[in-house]
Amino acid sequence: MKDIGRDEIIKLLFIVSCFGPGNPRIYELAEKFGSFDGLYKAIAFTKPEGVFTAEELKAASRIHGAQLRGIISYCKSHNIGVICCDDEEYPKRLKNIYDPPVLLFFRGDISVLKNDMILAVVGSRKISDYTAKATEIISGTIAANGMTVASGFAVGTDITAHLSAVRNGGKTIAVLGCGIDYAYPAENMQYADEIRENGVFISEYPPQTAAQPRFFIARNRILAGISIGTAVMEAAEKSGSLNTASHTLAQGKDLWVVPPHNIFDARYDGGKTLLSDGALPIYSPYDILGEYFDNYRHKPVKEIISDYVDLEETESRAAERPKKPKKVKSEVISAAKQDKKREDTPAPGLDGSTLMVYNIIKGAGSPISADEAAEAAGMDISEVLSVITELEIEGLVFSDTGQTYYV
């Protein structure tokens, strides 16, 4: 663990436990009380009237020093590091976003976050062969040439991007929507050591925090925040990748999109909207390398481990590069997502039990519970909840009051 002061960590853990990770009220109240230390004293001891909500005060009353010390001991014994937003190791780019994480838990080489050339690579969990190939080539090439690839460790695009980066001699960053030691998704855990040895896992959630759909949405601001830009490999109209794209634009950073191989394929509808509104198209890894070559005095291109492409020199491609298109407006994306939210269109890329659960929820006509969906599908409730979580993350299913779900 990074030595930023045991007392400081305990105070920040207390604050985060009271308000929840990623809650912007932490910064609002820290400003009101002059510092994190001032906020800690106020919520833990003085409790001024009319400042904190009943829920916040209730949470504060339930938190004990022994619990917080237990978290610190657990981190030390499980090789989990902790840095705070005032630590020297904290990514400078991340400090400049709205609501940066107060604490970051990590496993691996935290110095990877200091690379000036970090690109977020995002896309669907169930990707086409075209997208898989594009992700492998683009991620592998830019990583082989000194850029660090950041993604979310999900199946599909994310894990393809991570592995392409490290298997071509590069570095990668996995930004999690759960605790740093929570085994999710299970099918990707076989690659955890390989990624950690060639990069770092980071999360704003304390160890053993289970994955939740809202956590994956919240972590997207971090993924965009540590990066100079975001590359969208594949995004349907309701894709969670559009949320990362929105954060990227709100932070004033570059948004890249891989053009679809088929303009009629619904799996690329979100990406088509981004491109039509001015996102930067990716026709080759050189488009990305060339864009940042002059700004960062990038070294010459290396070849990657791939049978798909024969690399040419970046400098000649950069010289031919057209002027940047206009930036996409984040409000355009948000409006498009809202308009399409309840549209009755088929969900692309679903099969097996996932498609079955989706069709059951869609065909119910009104919000139904996970128990009802499990009974209709003849599946175990735990399996149905796991499927629903994935559907929520993809933006295909939405939760209502009382833990019911609808399309």
Side-chain angles (χ1 to χ4, degrees):
M1 178 184 294
K2 292 290 179 182
D3 185 13
I4 62 173
R6 183 183 178 91
D7 291 342
E8 182 181 1
I9 295 176
I10 288 178
K11 290 177 182 179
L12 293 175
L13 277 173
F14 185 88
I15 291 171
V16 170
S17 299
C18 289
F19 298 96
N23 189 339
R25 263 180 65 76
I26 294 177
Y27 285 97
E28 295 169 8
L29 292 169
E31 183 176 359
K32 177 181 178 65
F33 292 105
S35 65
F36 287 124
D37 187 64
L39 171 56
Y40 167 74
K41 291 175 180 177
I43 185 68
F45 303 111
T46 62
K47 298 180 174 61
E49 187 174 351
V51 175
F52 304 109
T53 67
E55 289 185 356
E56 290 165 353
L57 291 171
K58 185 177 181 180
S61 68
R62 292 179 173 178
I63 301 168
H64 301 287
Q67 294 173 291
L68 304 178
R69 290 190 294 272
I71 293 175
I72 294 174
S73 297
Y74 181 89
C75 288
K76 286 184 175 179
S77 63
H78 288 77
N79 200 28
I80 298 171
V82 186
I83 55 175
C84 73
C85 54
D86 293 328
D87 195 286
E88 290 183 359
E89 297 290 338
Y90 195 91
K92 292 181 179 179
R93 192 180 286 126
L94 191 58
K95 288 184 179 181
N96 296 325
I97 73 169
Y98 173 73
D99 189 26
V102 174
L103 291 172
L104 277 179
F105 299 87
F106 68 91
R107 268 181 173 166
D109 182 5
I110 194 65
S111 68
V112 174
L113 290 167
K114 291 183 176 181
N115 189 353
D116 286 335
M117 299 183 64
I118 300 172
L119 188 76
V121 178
V122 300
S124 175
R125 285 165 173 76
K126 295 190 175 182
I127 55 176
S128 67
D129 290 341
Y130 166 78
T131 299
K133 183 184 294 185
T135 302
E136 178 184 346
I137 294 171
I138 292 168
S139 299
T141 303
I142 66 172
N145 289 279
M147 296 189 76
T148 295
V149 172
S151 199
F153 197 60
V155 297
T157 301
D158 291 8
I159 195 63
T160 302
H162 289 307
L163 294 178
S164 298
V166 302
R167 291 175 180 177
N168 285 283
K171 300 293 184 180
T172 193
I173 301 167
V175 185
L176 305 181
C178 57
I180 205 78
D181 59 340
Y182 187 76
Y184 182 88
E187 51 266 59
N188 283 356
M189 297 313 296
Q190 60 184 310
Y191 308 117
D193 288 344
E194 185 176 1
I195 291 173
R196 186 176 62 253
E197 290 168 2
N198 296 278
V200 65
F201 285 89
I202 63 173
S203 174
E204 67 177 324
Y205 301 103
Q208 300 182 324
T209 300
Q212 294 186 32
R214 62 189 177 91
F215 292 168
F216 291 96
I217 296 299
R219 69 94 189 270
N220 290 339
R221 80 189 194 286
I222 303 174
L223 184 56
I226 62 175
S227 308
I228 55 176
T230 295
V232 178
M233 298 291 112
E234 177 182 314
E237 286 180 337
K238 300 177 181 180
S239 172
S241 298
L242 298 183
N243 180 261
T244 307
S246 184
H247 282 294
T248 300
L249 295 168
Q251 294 169 15
K253 297 173 180 178
D254 294 326
L255 180 62
W256 300 84
V257 177
V258 172
H261 73 302
N262 179 352
I263 62 173
F264 302 107
D265 191 332
R267 289 176 292 186
Y268 300 91
D269 283 352
K272 288 189 295 184
T273 298
L274 297 178
L275 286 167
S276 65
D277 286 330
L280 297 161
I282 308 173
Y283 299 111
S284 160
Y286 307 113
D287 294 330
I288 296 172
L289 290 172
E291 181 63 33
Y292 304 117
F293 186 94
D294 294 333
N295 293 344
Y296 293 90
R297 299 186 180 184
H298 203 267
K299 59 187 178 182
V301 170
K302 293 181 181 178
E303 292 188 0
I304 68 166
I305 305 169
S306 174
D307 296 329
Y308 296 136
V309 290
D310 181 16
L311 300 185
E312 304 172 68
E313 292 186 359
T314 299
E315 293 176 349
S316 62
R317 295 295 299 272
E320 300 170 1
R321 187 173 68 251
K323 186 178 179 180
K324 269 184 166 183
K326 63 182 179 179
K327 295 278 189 180
V328 187
K329 296 181 179 179
S330 57
E331 60 264 31
V332 172
I333 300 172
S334 299
K337 289 178 69 180
Q338 186 64 31
D339 292 341
K340 299 293 184 180
K341 185 176 180 182
R342 298 300 304 277
E343 191 172 303
D344 188 21
T345 55
L350 301 184
D351 54 25
S353 60
T354 305
L355 179 60
M356 180 188 300
V357 172
Y358 174 81
N359 285 334
I360 289 171
I361 296 173
K362 181 178 180 181
S366 60
I368 66 172
S369 68
D371 287 327
E372 292 171 324
E375 182 178 356
M379 295 167 57
D380 183 79
I381 183 62
S382 61
E383 184 179 359
V384 169
L385 285 170
S386 177
V387 169
I388 289 176
T389 296
E390 293 291 342
L391 290 170
E392 283 191 281
I393 293 169
E394 288 289 345
L396 299 175
V397 165
F398 307 91
S399 59
D400 206 345
T401 56
Q403 293 299 301
T404 55
Y405 305 90
Y406 64 94
V407 173

